[in-house]
Amino acid sequence: EVFTMETCSTKIAFKRCSRGEYRKFRASTTDEKKKPDALETLARACVVHPEPKDFDAFLEQYPAASDVIGSKILEVAGAVEVEAAKKA
């Protein structure tokens, strides 16, 4: 399943991250050396358009866009806020 979004006037297509990709992301958020690049690494693993070379050029121009894209990838993977649980 492929999802699309637009950011910085550029169409981005990405796949839902796998369980392994999500685990790698979570592990990198606790590693002080990898933490600053965690969302970009996740985005690189999941973005299917533009091509990697073009995505690199896009991130050179809009470096913070990887945070927005990575957040959307997490959202479609189920990392969304939910209402407080209620007694059934």
Side-chain angles (χ1 to χ4, degrees), residues 16-67:
R16 183 174 302 160
C17 65
S18 68
R19 190 173 185 187
E21 289 164 336
Y22 180 71
R23 284 182 173 173
K24 185 176 179 181
F25 164 76
R26 293 292 298 155
S28 67
T29 63
T30 60
D31 182 326
E32 289 304 315
K33 290 183 180 178
K34 294 180 181 179
K35 190 175 184 176
D37 298 319
L39 283 171
E40 182 174 332
T41 301
L42 180 65
R44 288 182 182 282
C46 297
V47 167
V48 296
H49 176 80
E51 295 294 324
K53 183 179 107 179
D54 296 328
F55 190 57
D56 286 342
F58 171 75
L59 291 180
E60 282 299 321
Q61 191 170 8
Y62 303 103
S66 61
D67 292 345

